[in-house]
């Protein structure tokens, strides 16, 4: 196992984790952006399974959030405001009238302090950041950490932690776009996905959660026994059409001891499983991904990747009965998501 470090554009560092199987994970200290995850296919050929820019300077803006840490709050905050203890806080409206993914100065846009580590079984880097009271409109000075750990079982473990000196809101995630074909040789239409979820959250025309939970039964949102993403991409149901012909929805995860999510790609044989202690996941099938962005393996287009944004939900700021993003003063925020890679056949 090995950790490599490279200076990028005289201002960032690129860390590359290599395990004994040849699996590779590369990420920047800028935004914690994962730029490459290379894992074998059934013929033991290593290929990259996440979307990333060809040129590092394109991450400076990164309006599509490729590979980045998202915070303080992942998702859309309705009307760019919320209330805590009878005090209303307003933040930047960076998507119409709403606040998306922490705003333009969110965690995806900061340089994190990085501390590499190695044990007998793992290698990784702990990223830390201090966000001051009032930054982005959020209350509380908050200390956050995100640790990327690679094991010899081809597991990438993401550990999130944080504390605030005031009651505030926090739900972090990673915004990697996965494509298990490898090196972007095809779209994600035929990715077969299983999600342990009985309910998803309805969206309005501006992709804001309405506060209504919908049972997945007899809909293209029923992934409990697995289905291909093409089912929702080609669906004419209102919720798939609202999401620009695909998925951009929050699934409330069933609290079981099983792997919460699995993704299989038949041609390559790659399988990715996701286990998390987060209460839900936003699955986004890159329905609105711009065409023509210069990616490492070619030009971007819609449906080239699928995101699994494990998180609580900002819908809880305006509606009762949803996984909360509130964090009390001096309370520890502690979450984990594990991405495991293997092959079938």
């Amino acid at each position: 196992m090995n950790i490599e470090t490279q200076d990028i554009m005289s201002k960032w560092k690129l860390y590359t984790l290599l395990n004994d199987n040849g699996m590779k994970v590369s990420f920047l200290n800028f935004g914690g952006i994962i730029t490459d995850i290379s894992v074998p296919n059934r013929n033991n050929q290593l290929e990259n399974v996440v979307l990333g820019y060809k040129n590092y300077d394109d991450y400076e803006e990164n309006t599509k959030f490729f590979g980045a840490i998202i915070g303080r709050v992942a998702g859309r905050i309705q009307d760019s405001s919320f209330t805590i203890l009878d005090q209303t806080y307003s933040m930047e409206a960076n998507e119409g009238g709403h606040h998306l993914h922490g705003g333009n100065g969110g965690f995806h846009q900061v340089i994190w302090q990085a501390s590499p580590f190695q044990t007998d079984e793992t290698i990784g880097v702990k990223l830390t950041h201090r966000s001051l009271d009032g930054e982005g409109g959020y209350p509380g000075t908050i200390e956050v950490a995100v640790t990327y750990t690679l094991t010899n079982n081809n597991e990438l473990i993401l550990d999130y932690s944080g504390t605030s000196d005031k009651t505030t809101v926090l739900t972090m995630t990673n915004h990697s776009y996965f494509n298990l074909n490898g090196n972007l040789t095809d779209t994600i239409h035929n990715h077969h996905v299983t999600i342990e979820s009985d309910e998803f959250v309805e969206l309005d025309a501006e992709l804001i959660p309405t506060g209504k939970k919908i049972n997945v039964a007899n809909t293209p949102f029923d992934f409990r026994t697995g289905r291909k993403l093409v089912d929702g991409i080609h669906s004419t149901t209102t919720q798939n059409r609202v999401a620009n012909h695909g998925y951009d929805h929050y699934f409330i995860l069933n609290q079981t001891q099983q792997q919460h999510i699995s993704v299989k790609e038949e041609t390559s044989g790659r399988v990715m499983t996701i286990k998390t202690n987060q209460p839900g996941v936003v699955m986004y099938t890159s329905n609105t991904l711009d065409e023509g962005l210069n990616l490492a393996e070619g030009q971007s287009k819609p449906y080239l990747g699928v995101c699994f944004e494990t998180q609580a939900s900002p819908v809880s700021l305006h509606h009762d009965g949803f996984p909360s993003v509130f964090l009390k003063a001096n309370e520890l925020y502690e979450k984990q998501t594990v991405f495991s890679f293997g092959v079938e056949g």
Side-chain angles (χ1 to χ4, degrees):
M1 306 183 86
N2 189 33
I3 303 176
E4 298 175 354
T5 308
Q6 179 183 350
D7 290 327
I8 301 294
M9 295 163 44
S10 303
K11 57 183 177 180
W12 303 335
K13 288 191 180 297
L14 179 73
Y15 293 88
T16 298
L17 310 178
L18 295 157
N19 72 8
D20 293 340
N21 305 317
M23 178 177 168
K24 179 178 76 171
V25 179
S26 296
F27 53 91
L28 297 166
N29 62 343
F30 176 69
I33 294 168
I34 295 174
T35 62
D36 186 292
I37 298 177
S38 291
V39 294
N41 64 9
R42 67 163 57 91
N43 298 318
N44 210 31
Q45 181 179 357
L46 286 170
E47 293 173 315
N48 180 26
V49 294
V50 293
L51 275 62
Y53 287 112
K54 182 177 182 179
N55 302 310
Y56 287 108
D57 55 4
D58 286 338
Y59 286 112
E60 197 104 51
E61 296 292 330
N62 199 15
T63 58
K64 298 302 177 183
F65 306 97
F66 289 129
I69 297 169
I70 304 298
R72 293 187 187 190
V73 172
R76 295 172 175 87
I77 296 180
Q78 181 179 342
D79 299 327
S80 303
S81 68
F82 60 87
T83 301
I84 297 178
L85 303 174
D86 296 325
Q87 183 170 349
T88 298
Y89 296 90
S90 297
M91 52 268 312
E92 171 193 15
N94 63 325
E95 189 183 67
H98 311 294
H99 178 80
L100 175 65
H101 289 337
N104 291 324
F107 290 169
H108 67 293
Q109 285 288 300
V110 301
I111 295 177
W112 294 65
Q113 298 298 311
S115 302
F117 63 87
Q118 185 164 356
T119 71
D120 291 342
E121 302 294 332
T122 66
I123 50 173
V125 176
K126 183 177 183 178
L127 301 169
T128 57
H129 175 62
R130 187 171 191 247
S131 178
L132 299 178
D133 183 25
E135 280 187 4
Y138 291 97
T141 293
I142 193 165
E143 307 272 355
V144 290
V146 180
T147 303
Y148 293 159
T149 304
L150 179 63
T151 76
N152 275 328
N153 293 323
N154 286 6
E155 296 170 322
L156 175 61
I157 304 169
L158 276 60
D159 286 296
Y160 303 86
S161 65
T163 56
S164 174
D165 62 356
K166 291 182 182 179
T167 296
T168 188
V169 291
L170 181 69
T171 185
M172 294 186 285
T173 195
N174 178 272
H175 207 286
S176 289
Y177 293 70
F178 292 94
N179 185 321
L180 298 187
N181 291 289
N183 292 349
L184 303 186
T185 51
D186 203 349
T187 63
I188 47 96
H189 284 70
N190 289 318
H191 281 42
H192 188 273
V193 175
T194 303
I195 304 176
E196 295 275 344
S197 173
D198 296 333
E199 294 179 310
F200 72 99
V201 181
E202 182 184 62
L203 298 177
D204 68 16
E206 294 184 308
L207 301 179
I208 298 298
T210 66
K212 179 182 178 182
K213 299 174 186 176
I214 299 178
N215 191 294
V216 301
N218 302 312
T219 76
F221 293 80
D222 190 352
F223 287 91
R224 292 173 295 186
T225 58
R227 71 186 319 136
K228 290 186 176 181
L229 294 176
V230 67
D231 292 352
I233 293 170
H234 288 170
S235 168
T236 59
T237 64
T238 299
Q239 280 299 293
N240 290 122
R241 286 190 287 109
V242 160
N244 298 291
H245 304 285
Y247 301 95
D248 195 2
H249 295 75
Y250 187 71
F251 290 81
I252 298 169
L253 294 172
N254 300 342
Q255 298 308 305
T256 68
Q257 297 304 309
Q258 305 300 314
Q259 299 290 353
H260 286 115
I261 301 163
S262 68
V263 189
K264 300 178 182 180
E265 200 289 302
E266 187 175 340
T267 302
S268 70
R270 289 188 180 92
V271 179
M272 177 176 73
T273 59
I274 304 171
K275 180 75 172 177
T276 186
N277 61 2
Q278 288 278 21
V281 61
V282 173
M283 183 173 71
Y284 170 53
T285 46
S286 60
N287 322 317
T288 58
L289 183 59
D290 297 334
E291 294 194 27
L293 299 176
N294 200 16
L295 304 182
E297 292 88 15
Q299 299 294 298
S300 66
K301 58 184 177 181
Y303 310 114
L304 204 54
V306 54
C307 302
F308 295 96
E309 303 160 54
T310 55
Q311 60 179 92
S313 177
V315 68
S316 62
L317 295 172
H318 297 96
H319 301 277
D320 294 332
F322 292 90
S324 176
V325 299
F326 287 109
L327 179 67
K328 293 179 181 177
N330 303 313
E331 185 178 67
L332 177 63
Y333 173 93
E334 200 168 29
K335 299 295 180 182
Q336 183 182 80
T337 298
V338 181
F339 297 91
S340 303
F341 297 89
V343 292
E344 281 189 355

